Amino acid sequence: MDSGKVLHRRKPDFPLIRPRATDKNQHQEVGVKSIELSKVIRLLEDPLTANLKDRHLFVLKKLLKRSQIGFLLKELSVIAKILNICAEKTADHPEFVPILCEALQICRLPFLKEKTSDELNYAQDVIEFLSHMGCLMRVSDAEVRQHIVETVKSLYSCVAPKKMLDGLQPTSPGYRLQLLERSDLAQTLLLSMAALENQPAIRLQLLQTLQILSSSSDMNCEWILKACGAETICLHMNEPDPTGQVLFRSSEILWNLLERGSKEVTAQLSSMECVISLKDAFCHQLMNGVRLSDLQLRNDLLVITSLIAENPNSLLIESLFARQLVAVVTFPELKSHHPLVRNLKLSYNQEDLKMKKLLLNLLVLMSKDSAALQLYKEERVMIALLILVRPPVASSERRSASRQWSPVQQEELQLQALATLSTIAPLLLDDYMACQGNACLLLLLDWCIAHDAFFGQGLSSEGRGSTKTQMRHCIRVLRSVTSLGEESVNQDLCDQGTINQLLGVLMQMEASPDEDDDVTLEIKSDIQLILSALCESDMHRKELFGSEGVEMAVHFLKKGSSSFYSGLGHNKLVLSTVDCVWSCIVGCYTTEDYFLAKGGASLLLDLLTSSPRCAHCNVLATLLELCDNPNTLSHILSWRDISGQTAPRFLLQLWRDEEEELKVIRDKHGGITDPQRPILSHHQQEDTQLSFPANKPSAAVLELSENLRSKIYSIFCKLGFQDLPGLSRKHYVTLSIVRRYLDFKVGEVWEEIIRELSLDGVRPITPDEEVLSTIHKIAEDTARRVAAEQNSILEQQEKEDIAEEELMYTEIKSHWKQRELTAKSWDNYVARTSNYEILKEIKAQREKYTESSKSKHEDAAVHPTQHFIGQVMSIERTGVPSPAGVKVTLARAPIKVTGQEEVGTTAQDPEYFSTVSLKD
C-alpha cells in the first residue's frame, strides 16, 4: 500500500501517454514520444521502480498500442533495450511474455521514417535491433520463440503497411533484408538450435527459417558457417521427427551452404560424427524411402556425400560408409550378402537411375584413396562395371520375368560405367585383365561399328541411332589402359587384332561424309595415341601397322594444320598424327621406306612450315629420327615449299627465329657479338648467379630439350654443311654457328662448371685449374674464329654487292649511250629527208663507200637499207678499279624508222659499231 501511495504521489514524473494528436499537432507529438521512451527505460531500470510490475505492464501496453502501425527508425535502439529488459523479466514474471509477443508482431510491419535520410542515418540501429531480436531466442517460452521465427520469415514477404499518419512513410521492402545480412541474426538463430531439443515444432520452424536465410544471401551463409552451421545441421538431421521434415529441411540448408562455400562446408562435414550422421540418413532413406520426395532426398544426401568424398581428409573409409556405398554400386548386377542390399528393391525409375549414376561417380571420387581400391576388389566392382558396359541385348532377348532397366536407362548407365572405367581400370589392372576387360571393350567397339540402331535412343549427344558416344568412351578406356605401358595389357590387345581393328575404325570414320565435330576428332586422336602406345617399343607391331597404317598417317598429314586453332580438337589430331609417325613408322625400315615413297618426309616439312611454333618440336624430332634412314636425305634436299624455299634455308630461318625468341645476342646480320657467350640465351644469363644441386640438370643441359636448336643441328649433321641448295650469304652466317653448336654447348657446360665452383667457394687443384682455363680459352677462340669467318662471308658479300652495283651502273650507262645513238640516227634521217643538198652528199658518200667495199670484199652482200646501233655483247675489265676500266663491246641491231622511203644503199657511220669505252 505504501508503495502505491508513493507511486500516486510521483505520478507526474512518469511518461504521459496521451491520445495521438490530429493533423495539426502530429509532428509535435511524435517528438514527445521519443522523449517519453527514455522515461520508459528509466522506469524499467530504476531500482526504485523495478518492482512496479503493474505499472510496467501498463506503460508497455500503452507504448505498444501507440506503435501499432510500426516502430520509428529513430526509436529502434530504445525499443531494443526495452525488449531486452522484458526478456530478462520473463523468467520471474510470465506476464511480460505477451508484451514480447505483441512487440515481435509489430516488428513484422515495415519500419517507419520521418525523412528520406532516416534510412541511411539509422542503418546501424536497424542492424543492432535485428541482432537483438535474434538474442530473444534465449527466452524459454515457446510462444516467444515461435513469434521470433515467424517475424524473421515475414521479413521476406511483402507486408502491407497499415494506414500511415501524415509525415511518416514505411521503409522500402528490401531495406530490412539488406541490413539483415549485415547483422548476425542468422548466426544467432543457428546457435539457438541447441536450446530447442524439447520443442520439436519450434525447431522445425527454425530450420525452415534458416533455409530461407541461407537461400537468399551469401552473407547469411557466411554467418551460419562461422558458427559451424554445416556441422550443427548435419548432427541434428537424424533426430526423431514424425513429420520427416527435419531431414528434408536440413539437407536443403546444407545444399544452400554448399552452393556458396563448398570447401568450408565439406571441411566441416568431413568429421567422423558428420559422416556417420550422413550414413545413417542415407541408409534410412535407402531402405524406407517410397515416395518420390523420399527418393529425391536420398539422392540429395548422396550428392552431399560426393562433395565430401572430394575432400582428401574425409573419413568415408574409416566410418564404413564407403563399404556400404560400394555394396550398393554393384546392385543389382551382382548378388551380394551384404545386409544393406539383401532386402533392397529398386523401382527402376528415374530417381533410382540418378542414384546409380551418383554411386558410379562416387567410385571415381573415392579411387584416390588406396584403401578404397581394396574395397573395390572385395566387392567385385570391376565385374559389375564390365557387365554394365556390355553391348545391350535385342528386345526379343530381354528377360520379361523380372523388372530391369529400360533401354534408355541402360544406355545412360553404360556411358556412366565407361566413364568410371576409364579412371578405375588403370588402378585395378589385375582385376581388369582377370575379367577380360580388353575383350569386353573390343566387343563393344565391334557393336558400335555394326551400328545397332535399337540401342541408340537414349541420351547420346549425337542423336537417335548413333553410337558415337559409346565409341568415344570405349576408346577412352582403351587409351587409359594402354598409356600405362603395361606389356601384358598391350600384348593382349595386339593378340586380339586391335591394331588392324583400330586402323579400320579410323579410316571408316574418315571416309564418312559428315563433317568432323569435337567428338569425332577426339576419337580419331585417341585411336592414334593407342596405336602409338602399342607400337612404340615393338618392331613386330610396327610391321603389323604396315602399309595400311602408313596410308592412314599420310592421309592425316596431307590435311595439314590449317584448322589448328579451330577449337574442335584439330590441334590434338595433328600432334597425335606426328606421334603416330614417330612411334609406329620410324624405326622399321619397311614402313619407313613406304612412308618416304608416299612423300612422308615432304609432308612433315610442309607441316613444319604451316604449323604454329608449339608443334615444331614434335615435328622436328620425328623428322630427325627419320633421318637415320639414308633415303630420307634426298627427299629433304629436294623439297621445296610454295615459295620455292629449300629445306636447309627454312631450317636456318627457323634457327634464327628460335634465337630471336630466346633473346640470344646477335648483330644485325645474325653474327656473334660476344665470343664469351656465343649461344647463351637471355634466360640462362639471368641464372648465372645460381648454383644447381648435383641431382638436377643445369640450365645449359635443360636448354637442349626446351628449344629447337639441338634438333636443327642434328638434322644438319645428317645433311652435311657443304653444297646445300638455296642458301644466301645471310644463311651461311647462321650455318657457321650451327656447325659449331656442339662445340659451343660443350664450352657452355664447362663455363657453368667453372662458375658453380666459384659460387660454392671451391678452388680446383692447379692442374685442373689449368685444364679449365685451357678449355675456356679454346671455347672462346672457337667463337672468335667463327666470328672471323662470318666477317669474311659478309666482306665477300659486300664485294659481290659492289660488283653487281657496278655492272648495273654500266648497263644503265650503255642504255643511255644507245638512246643517244638512236637520237643521233634519227636526227640524221630527218636532216636527209628535209635538206636535198645533205641527201645528195650522203648519197655520194654511200656510193664511194660501196665501191671501196667491193674492192676489198668481192663476195660481200648488198648492204641493207636499215640503220644499226650498238648493243652490249661483252664486258671486259682492264684492271682499273674505277668504272672507267670497264670496256663494253656493242653489237648491231636493226632499227626501222617509220615512214622511211626506200632509198639507195647508204654508208653507215663507223662510230656506231666501234668499241665503246666508258673512259669517253
Side-chain angles (χ1 to χ4, degrees), residues 223-267:
W223 283 110
I224 294 174
L225 290 175
K226 284 181 180 179
C228 297
E231 182 179 4
T232 303
I233 296 296
C234 185
L235 293 178
H236 289 83
M237 66 192 311
N238 292 319
E239 293 181 353
D241 174 37
T243 65
Q245 289 293 310
V246 172
L247 182 57
F248 171 74
R249 300 295 178 187
S250 299
S251 65
E252 289 295 321
I253 296 172
L254 293 178
W255 260 106
N256 295 333
L257 295 176
L258 284 167
E259 289 177 352
R260 290 169 169 82
S262 58
K263 291 185 178 180
E264 187 174 354
V265 176
T266 53

Side-chain angles (χ1 to χ4, degrees), residues 97 100-101 104 136 139 141-149:
V97 171
L100 282 176
C101 294
L104 290 171
L136 296 179
V139 179
D141 187 82
E143 186 178 3
V144 174
R145 291 175 174 174
Q146 183 174 359
H147 273 82
I148 295 173
V149 174

Side-chain angles (χ1 to χ4, degrees), residues 348 350 353 388 390-396 398-399 403-415 447 452-460 464 470:
Y348 297 97
Q350 285 300 112
L353 177 66
L388 286 174
R390 288 186 307 187
V393 297
S395 58
S396 59
R398 294 173 62 86
R399 296 175 298 173
R403 299 185 62 184
Q404 53 186 325
W405 303 110
S406 67
V408 177
Q409 293 173 332
Q410 189 174 355
E411 180 178 1
E412 292 190 49
L413 287 178
Q414 184 186 41
L415 295 176
W447 172 83
D452 186 358
F454 156 75
F455 189 67
Q457 54 185 326
L459 295 181
S460 288
R464 185 180 179 87
Q470 284 87 345

